[in-house]
Amino acid sequence: MITQKIFNDTETAFKLKSDDELNRALLMFGMINRPSLVKIGTYLTKISLKLHLPVEGLIKATIFNQFSGGESMEDCLPNIEKMYTKKLHSILDYSVEGKEEEEQFDAAMKKKISIIEFAANRKELPFAVFKPTGIGRFAIWEKVSSKLTLTAAEEEEWKRVQSRVEQICEAAYQNDISVLADGEETWMQDASDELMVRMMQKYNQEKTIVFNTLQCYRWDRMEYLQNLHEKAKKEGFKVGAKIVRGAYMEKENERAKKMGYPSPICESKEATDVSFNGVLSYCLSNIDDISLFVGTHNEVSNYLALQILEDKGLAIDDSRVWFSQLYGMSDNISYNLARKGYNAAKLVPFGPVRDVVPYLIRRAQENTSVKGQTGRELSLLMEERKRRKGEDTSKRSNESSSQKDQPKHHAE
Ligand SMILES: Cc1cc2nc3c(=O)[nH]c(=O)nc-3n(C[C@H](O)[C@H](O)[C@H](O)COP(=O)(O)OP(=O)(O)OC[C@H]3O[C@@H](n4cnc5c(N)ncnc54)[C@H](O)[C@@H]3O)c2cc1C
């Protein structure tokens, strides 16, 4: 039985943080904990960047350093190597968003391939990741998802998008790196789901190279997974399932309400938890067919996965099961999993400060809106600070008592 609460071990969680870094993280989460401050900060950041005011230094010293690995792959390397000394892997995520031009999509694809090649000979980097709308216009994904007829120009554009996805998966396959496709808004997701299944059919014959994301805040994901599993068994390919709860809940609910269709999102947080844990259990029960990448900061779901691994007699480092948290969050989960020997990886976003801002804003807003998450981060950081102070005090008192015990001529 997994009874020991391994995620409470703050010494392991923050071993790599100096006292100064610990205090900085406390300050950061203290600020994020205040929704009004996040609202004002978001507004000022957007305006300042639009007006080209010199705020990049300030962003870099605060939220960028907390949630991002650096501006380039090379910038991230010292952190990646440091984390790996604690057996924690990394996944480099070039988090530039909101581009609309074909040249930018080609450049983004090349960047993804260069990350795959960079990762190829580094055991610290077992995965690569891409966001479908980072390599093709949102509107084209949306139109293909809606099954409307494409114009001739759109047909050409869609071919280019598919080719970019294929080139990324091919590079991953050639370099033996697994690749994760992010999940996004439901109204563009069908096209991505269909394409990623085609990639699994092609590249997941012997092992799982391609993973698609299942956002379990959607009430239809269990059915989707079961159908995909059936298809995979029939056709003889492996399923790669990256499971998360989902990051676009407010947007999804608002759109459904405005357009008058039933929301694709579960009716409550509890229903999302049931959906996530159900999908998690299904994958682990079918591990010979489905490789699982668990992306969550939820401790209950992580403990559940550990329990199922144990109950099923699976090795804790079974290569088909990975755990992941975002850089700068839930270090208590990542480092403790890694220390115990589970396969754990941090998703490390990077890119030029100005381009990573949308990602950073999402993290800040998420930490403000995700009930309890920031509170948990703060209490863990405070606990660690207290633990270190206690350690200092007892060290000092040990030193002074051992000095008292010294023979007189030594003490003098
Ligand atoms: C490694 C990694 C990769 C990720 N990749 C993606 C991705 O590709 N696509 C993506 O969309 N997200 C992604 N995320 C973000 C993820 O979807 C969640 O937003 C985030 O992790 C918070 O969920 P949780 O399970 O960690 O924590 P929890 O705090 O347990 O769950 C919070 C989540 O529960 C859901 N929720 C909250 N309130 C309600 C409610 N009232 N009704 C229904 N559901 C509710 C929401 O999804 C919310 O984000 C990723 C996260 C990680 C760690």
Side-chain angles (χ1 to χ4, degrees), residues 181-184 213 215 217 242 244-249 253 265-270 272-273 276 293-298 324-326 345 347 363 366 370-371 373:
D182 278 350
E184 302 185 61
T213 296
Q215 295 155 305
Y217 62 6
K242 170 188 161 201
V244 300
R245 280 184 169 71
Y248 305 92
M249 182 177 73
N253 284 333
I265 306 301
C266 294
E267 61 189 13
S268 63
K269 171 68 164 74
E270 291 68 31
T272 292
D273 291 344
F276 185 94
F293 181 98
V294 188
T296 182
H297 303 126
N298 183 299
S324 184
Q325 290 74 43
L326 306 179
L347 194 84
R363 290 290 78 81
E366 182 181 70
V370 175
K371 224 171 136 204
Q373 182 58 33

Side-chain angles (χ1 to χ4, degrees), residues 78-105:
N79 266 337
I80 290 172
E81 283 168 357
K82 229 164 91 178
M83 288 194 275
Y84 197 66
T85 63
K86 303 294 171 203
K87 299 195 214 142
L88 183 56
H89 298 76
S90 296
I91 305 168
L92 277 173
D93 185 6
Y94 186 60
S95 294
V96 171
E97 299 180 11
K99 304 291 181 195
E100 285 289 310
E101 306 294 331
E102 289 292 288
E103 303 78 56
Q104 293 170 328
F105 295 136

